[in-house]
Amino acid sequence: MLGRFIAARARLIVVLGIAVALFAGVIGAGTINALSLNRFEAPGSESMRVRDTLAREYRTGSPNLTLLVTARQGGVDSPAVTEAGEALTRELASYPGVGAAWSYWSRGEPETLRSRDGRQALILAWAPGDANQVRRDLLPTLTPAFTRTSDAVTVRVGGSDEVFRQTMTQARQDFLRAELLVLPLVLLLLWWVYRRISPALVTVGIGLFAVLGSLAILRGVVAFTDVSTFAANIALVMGIGLGVDYGLFVVFRFREELRGGHAVPDAVARTVRGAGRTVLFSGGTVAASLSVLLVLPFPFLRSFAYAGVAVVLAAVVGATVLLPAALKLLGHRVERRGPVPEVTDGFWYSAAHRVMRRPFAFGGAALAILLLLGAPFLGVRFGLPDDRVLPTSAPARQLYDQVRAGFPVEEADAIQLVASGASPESVAPYAAALSRLPGVARVDSSAGSYQGGARSTDRTDRVDGLDRLDRLGQRLVVLPTSARLAEDATGLVREVRAVPAPFTVEAGGYPAELTDYRDGVTSKLPLVGALIVAVTFVLLFLMTGSLIAPIKATLLNVLSLSVMFGALVLVFQQGHLSGLLDFTPTGSIEPSVPILMFCIAYGLSMDYEVFLLARIKEEYDRTGDALASVPLGIARSAPLVTAAAAILAVSFATYATGQVVFLKQLGIGMALAILVDATLIRGVLLPVLMRLAGPANWWAPRPLRRLHRLIGLTD
């Protein structure tokens, strides 16, 4: 038996555990630099085909670098500024790693590259390569090289890749700062829960073991596939949280066994057999929830699955092997000082009894509150991320605030069209039709430039490659207004694609790439949800042998998550509390973070469900009383669930102090979901449903009961 093996070799296991943690720390130290940077892109999509065609056939692409040039005196048409602008354009075009560059001064002075007041102008550039090449290799040297002030101009660097390079840098700083805040705070809370410092220290140690172990595991995963840098942040967030969660459960169970009169070695063995099994189930539900992300064809989201599974593996090993060994060495020093009240005298026992006596009143009130809090999610609007995920103090954010305020068109966000089998004669009416779309400022093509359905006569074509027919077809550029981009970039992309063309045409460019990514992610939401429900349903059946328990758990989890998503819409889409939380609402939510939050929150909600059901099932198996077992099981597990939820919620809430909107969403949404789940869901609705179901709580058809006896995971 594992428990007796651990008890007999506790000192050796602790020494080996410390050695493994140190080794994992050395291995994991190189993980951060081995992780990849990712763009929001959908492999194989129409926009990706356009990107490849532009690079291969036209040696250009959507501009991902921007220089904002501000005249220090006069305007951008003055001789000194013109000379400086032309020199900057040539310098940027010849910079190693830059494929093409053009500007207001090299394109015949178009109004779209000049601010309304004439004091600012843009230089745009295309840097080929993936996100690693551009953000990690090119921009760290290019950005400081071109951020300058001369006698004539001031230059600032932006572009989509620079925005998300600064986002990742800021996110990493925010995560590290939050971790430095979380560790002492968690240690203090654990001391308050345990009333002893030694179990608090070993519980935090398990959290650190989970972090170091997961980073070491990710180092191995990187050898076979790309893993996003954000995976390391998830390892930090979940490592401490799950380590503390599982540590609390094991320590509470060990204390209970000691109070039952068992000797320390026997208490360790019984703890591993009982609590260890529950931790294993709990870890399985969290890992299963996150592993569902592997079905998504997006490296960015798949990375969360790798990180989540790695964290669970490390946390489960720490809680079921290392922690029991440490408890064996600590022995009775883990016990709480002072008398321990009887379970039936506690708050949770009486609360459960009270709720079960009036199930409709308490259940109806809790359900109404949850539905009210979740209602805003009905108005969710998934949108595209931009520089406003950064704080207003970020250089890239400041650049684009000026572009939005001063420029009528964001030419860097043009929609790029590649046509096949076209001629200038057939392109002309198509370009004219595109230019009549609401929110289109201009359409450039080899047949001319069009505004409002008519060909422009006051300028020549200025886009590289538009005057050169290719054997595969030709290229058009649709320039949207800044207002339409801010209002509905996705809708504009769809309208452009819907315009009938007399030839084959595909749309790309930054708005189209983000649209394809968003559509690809949201189209997979039903599949992700169905798989998570199915996998966790099977796991709960294997643990309980019941069909009703997994159904109730699924319903309760959906209610819990609806509150989280309602808060996301209310706060981050509609902008309530944006002043207090210091962010700029955009009227939409980028879908990747909610998917990640869904998987984590569903797994953690099932985590607490497993804790509660395990104790209730133990009482039911012992007494055979389907109703009396509920308050007893809740009374034994609710203090643990409440403490774990409070500590985990505090851990997540610290990330709301970060400067990146994604982190604020993660912190606030997860903290709220955990607190609601541990109170209204597990404290009210769970006992209500179990009271209403009665003996049917543990029902399953006879064939499934036989199946459970064969393959179920029982003691």
Side-chain angles (χ1 to χ4, degrees), residues 289-647:
S289 297
L290 284 164
S291 63
V292 166
L293 292 173
L294 292 174
V295 305
L296 300 175
F298 309 110
F300 179 63
L301 288 173
R302 291 167 69 95
S303 299
F304 300 145
Y306 302 134
V309 173
V311 167
V312 169
L313 287 173
V316 167
V317 169
T320 59
V321 178
L322 298 182
L323 182 55
L327 294 177
K328 165 60 170 60
L329 299 180
L330 290 173
H332 291 279
R333 285 174 290 177
V334 173
E335 289 186 282
R336 180 172 177 168
R337 292 186 176 92
V340 178
E342 290 294 326
V343 170
T344 54
D345 295 334
F347 165 79
W348 288 106
Y349 183 84
S350 60
H353 257 300
R354 190 179 306 113
V355 167
M356 293 176 69
R357 281 198 302 268
R358 302 179 61 190
F360 292 105
F362 283 100
L367 183 61
I369 293 172
L370 292 173
L371 293 177
L372 180 64
L373 293 175
F377 185 59
L378 296 175
V380 66
R381 179 171 177 258
F382 291 115
L384 311 178
D386 59 25
D387 59 282
R388 286 170 290 183
V389 302
L390 287 167
T392 54
S393 59
R397 168 68 186 274
Q398 293 175 348
L399 182 149
Y400 280 104
D401 282 343
Q402 294 183 57
V403 169
R404 274 188 292 270
F407 289 74
V409 175
E410 294 185 41
E411 193 158 321
D413 289 332
I415 299 173
Q416 309 280 341
L417 303 179
V418 173
S420 300
S423 64
E425 293 75 19
S426 61
V427 165
Y430 177 62
L434 289 171
S435 71
R436 285 192 288 268
L437 291 175
V440 172
R442 192 181 75 239
V443 176
D444 290 331
S445 73
S446 60
S449 295
Y450 288 81
Q451 294 176 296
R455 180 169 179 174
S456 175
T457 58
D458 61 347
R459 59 190 295 276
T460 59
D461 299 318
R462 293 182 289 267
V463 181
D464 292 348
L466 293 183
D467 59 348
R468 180 171 61 85
L469 290 176
D470 186 87
R471 62 185 177 84
L472 295 179
Q474 63 183 43
R475 182 177 160 228
L476 301 89
V477 177
V478 179
L479 288 96
T481 63
S482 296
R484 183 63 194 273
L485 276 179
E487 176 188 347
D488 185 21
T490 298
L492 177 60
V493 171
R494 293 203 174 101
E495 290 174 17
V496 167
R497 287 173 168 169
V499 173
F503 39 74
T504 302
V505 64
E506 291 188 314
Y510 190 57
E513 291 173 8
L514 291 178
T515 296
D516 288 345
Y517 175 80
R518 193 206 76 157
D519 291 347
V521 170
T522 54
S523 68
K524 298 289 185 180
L525 283 175
L527 175 62
V528 169
L531 286 175
I532 288 179
V533 170
V535 171
T536 53
F537 189 98
V538 170
L539 285 172
L540 274 182
F541 169 75
L542 292 176
M543 186 188 83
T544 64
S546 165
L547 282 186
I548 303 302
I551 292 173
K552 294 202 311 288
T554 300
L555 293 175
L556 293 177
N557 281 1
V558 169
L559 284 172
S560 176
L561 296 182
S562 69
V563 174
M564 178 182 71
F565 288 129
L568 285 183
V569 172
L570 191 69
V571 176
F572 294 98
Q573 179 179 309
Q574 298 177 3
H576 299 287
L577 303 180
S578 59
L580 177 65
L581 296 173
D582 191 24
F583 72 93
T584 302
T586 61
S588 63
I589 297 176
E590 193 280 314
S592 298
V593 173
I595 286 183
L596 171 65
M597 293 169 62
F598 171 77
C599 294
I600 296 177
Y602 195 94
L604 291 175
S605 296
M606 198 63 76
D607 202 22
Y608 298 142
E609 182 80 11
V610 167
F611 287 170
L612 287 166
L613 283 182
R615 297 314 299 264
I616 295 173
K617 185 69 162 55
E618 283 183 19
E619 295 297 330
Y620 175 70
D621 291 341
R622 184 177 63 86
T623 64
D625 190 330
L627 295 182
S629 61
V630 175
L632 280 172
I634 289 177
R636 294 185 186 280
S637 55
L640 159 68
V641 170
T642 304
I647 292 173

Side-chain angles (χ1 to χ4, degrees), residues 206-250:
I206 297 304
L208 292 175
F209 180 86
V211 171
L212 297 176
S214 61
L215 290 177
I217 293 172
L218 285 177
R219 189 68 180 89
V221 175
V222 168
F224 300 97
T225 186
D226 289 339
V227 180
S228 170
T229 54
F230 210 86
N233 298 329
I234 295 302
L236 291 173
V237 174
M238 293 188 62
I240 297 296
L242 287 182
V244 168
D245 254 13
Y246 299 159
L248 276 165
F249 191 74
V250 170

Side-chain angles (χ1 to χ4, degrees), residues 656-680:
T657 63
Q659 297 295 303
V660 176
V661 171
F662 296 151
L663 296 189
K664 293 179 186 291
Q665 292 177 348
L666 181 67
I668 291 175
M670 290 300 304
L672 181 61
I674 291 167
L675 291 176
V676 167
D677 189 82
T679 52
L680 290 177

